[in-house]
Amino acid sequence: MTRLGLLRGDGIGPEIVPATVTVIEAAVAAAGCEPIEWVDLPTGWAGLEEAGTTLPERTHTALAELPGWVTGPHDSSAYPQPWRSRLSPHGDLRQRFELYANIRPVRNLPGVRGVVDGMDLAFARENTEGFYSDRAVVAGTGEMMPTADVALSTGIFTRRRATQIAHAACALARQRRGRVTVVHKAHVLGLTMGLYLDVAREVAASYPDVTLDEVHVDAATVHLVRNPGRFDVLMTENMHGDILSDLAGELAGALGLSPSLNAGDDKAMAQAAHGSAPDIAGQGIANPTGLILSAELLLRWLEDHGHGEGLARAADHVRDGVERALREGRGTRDLGGQDSTGSFAQAVADAITA
Ligand code: ATP
Ligand code: MG
């Protein structure tokens, strides 16, 4: 029996999370696995209501015992103070559980017109430090103003994290086409990005079946538009990965369809790449695909890490079900379709069961 956490989140979260559960349950049954046992836990506004905090202690304690969870997005910028200025619930979970690798596959999907074709790549984005250094140190201390007219921001690169993300990138490339492109700016940021680039070279050298290629971050934007087929796995620091993965997702026509997995050595969190979309919350029109495909990544990760048999097969069912539903012209309004959040999820579940 695999037990997984379920964090409904804010905004469209309480709509896309149950839709994702519908699909996972159909896929797990089709793969002949035991049903998943869900542990429903409050975060965000639900946490504020229940326990006066956006990440209640009972949620943290329960997650510490679980190998993974599915989470909806958080509407952190709308929280009352002091929560608005603190690390978001996801930021907190990434730090506490050392979910250092943000894995973001991006590819063209059938039935969805992208700006470019031929995109089938994955980001291995460092998720806890780099130029979003407030994630790495005490929240809020990554930036400072020594005078009213001067603002400073710190970038933190540690050998430990660079090594971890380089191994994550190489391991991912091994399951794909065997190529890692390290994205950097070491000719300008010699010490920080220099350390990161050196570590990437060292680690990649220990994977004889993986080829390492090096690209400056600005050149990476050009290649993503002109020739995305040259990329397999892109290893990036935190901020570069944030920006490039949104660009790639939108170029593939699919930012709202983009999945992500926040993975550490012993836990993983499935989270769509998009936000809480408060403008459309409660209307039943949100597209659940990004989170459904994030759950696919989580199922694969769980099987790879020994947390259940047959879950990779269930993950294949999730992917095939989504593709079949999209190919048949099903989809939510943002894709020009007629489906509600629930009816699209049901179409995917039906495609799996059929
Ligand atoms: P955050 O700061 O939480 O990342 P954001 O400002 O990036 O938020 P999103 O919440 O991602 O914004 O929403 C951006 C736009 O995309 C909004 O108009 C929203 O309605 C739309 N959107 C986001 N996710 C979805 C979805 N799953 N289905 C349909 N539309 C979506
Ligand atoms: Mg956003």
Side-chain angles (χ1 to χ4, degrees), residues 104 242 246 255 273-276:
R104 293 187 165 199
D242 184 17
D246 269 18
L255 179 54
H274 60 73
S276 63

Side-chain angles (χ1 to χ4, degrees), residues 10-11 44-45 48 54 73-90 275-279:
D10 307 320
W45 285 105
L48 281 168
T54 56
H74 288 115
D75 193 8
S76 312
S77 55
Y79 295 156
Q81 291 292 14
W83 313 107
R84 198 185 321 151
S85 311
R86 291 194 182 161
L87 212 49
S88 70
H90 287 148
S276 63
D279 52 330

Side-chain angles (χ1 to χ4, degrees), residues 135-216:
R135 296 184 174 204
V137 293
V138 178
T141 62
E143 290 192 283
M144 64 186 106
M145 292 188 72
T147 75
D149 300 318
V150 177
L152 299 179
S153 173
T154 44
I156 297 181
F157 290 77
T158 64
R159 184 175 298 279
R160 173 162 179 264
R161 278 287 191 258
T163 303
Q164 287 173 313
I165 195 66
H167 278 293
C170 290
L172 185 59
R174 255 187 184 162
Q175 296 173 354
R176 296 176 50 99
R177 300 189 300 276
R179 170 180 288 264
V180 171
T181 301
V182 57
V183 176
H184 70 95
K185 197 75 183 171
H187 50 311
V188 178
L189 299 158
L191 292 180
T192 49
M193 296 244 73
L195 171 69
Y196 165 86
L197 180 58
D198 285 347
V199 170
R201 288 174 180 161
E202 274 164 39
V203 170
S206 67
Y207 290 77
D209 47 343
V210 170
T211 311
L212 184 72
D213 160 42
E214 301 172 6
V215 171
H216 296 159

Side-chain angles (χ1 to χ4, degrees), residues 8 23 30 66 72 75 93 105 118 120 130 156 192 202 204 218 221 227 231 249 288 324 346 352:
R8 292 167 192 267
V23 172
L66 296 169
D75 193 8
L93 293 172
D120 181 9
I156 297 181
T192 49
E202 274 164 39
D218 38 356
T221 63
N227 183 19
F231 294 125
R324 214 170 308 153
Q346 195 55 53
I352 290 170

Side-chain angles (χ1 to χ4, degrees), residues 214-342:
E214 301 172 6
V215 171
H216 296 159
V217 62
D218 38 356
T221 63
V222 176
H223 294 306
L224 279 173
V225 175
R226 293 282 172 197
N227 183 19
R230 71 165 276 165
F231 294 125
D232 180 15
V233 174
L234 289 106
M235 170 183 160
T236 72
E237 69 86 30
N238 207 342
M239 181 172 70
H240 291 162
D242 184 17
I243 298 168
L244 292 179
S245 64
D246 269 18
L247 171 65
E250 197 55 38
L251 287 171
L255 179 54
L257 308 175
S258 292
S260 88
L261 188 72
N262 299 264
D265 290 334
D266 55 6
K267 289 187 191 301
M269 166 168 87
Q271 173 194 3
H274 60 73
S276 63
D279 52 330
I280 58 162
Q283 299 175 36
I285 58 172
N287 188 343
T289 309
L291 190 58
I292 292 170
L293 293 175
S294 305
E296 176 205 338
L297 301 175
L298 177 61
L299 291 170
R300 264 183 232 295
W301 184 93
L302 288 166
E303 173 138 5
D304 278 353
H305 291 77
H307 297 293
E309 295 268 310
L311 296 176
R313 221 165 41 240
D316 291 340
H317 282 294
V318 173
R319 187 196 53 212
D320 295 348
V322 167
E323 291 193 0
R324 214 170 308 153
L326 291 173
R327 210 178 282 123
E328 285 164 5
R330 302 295 299 263
T332 43
R333 231 182 266 187
D334 52 312
L335 301 181
Q338 307 285 322
D339 274 302
S340 67
T341 307

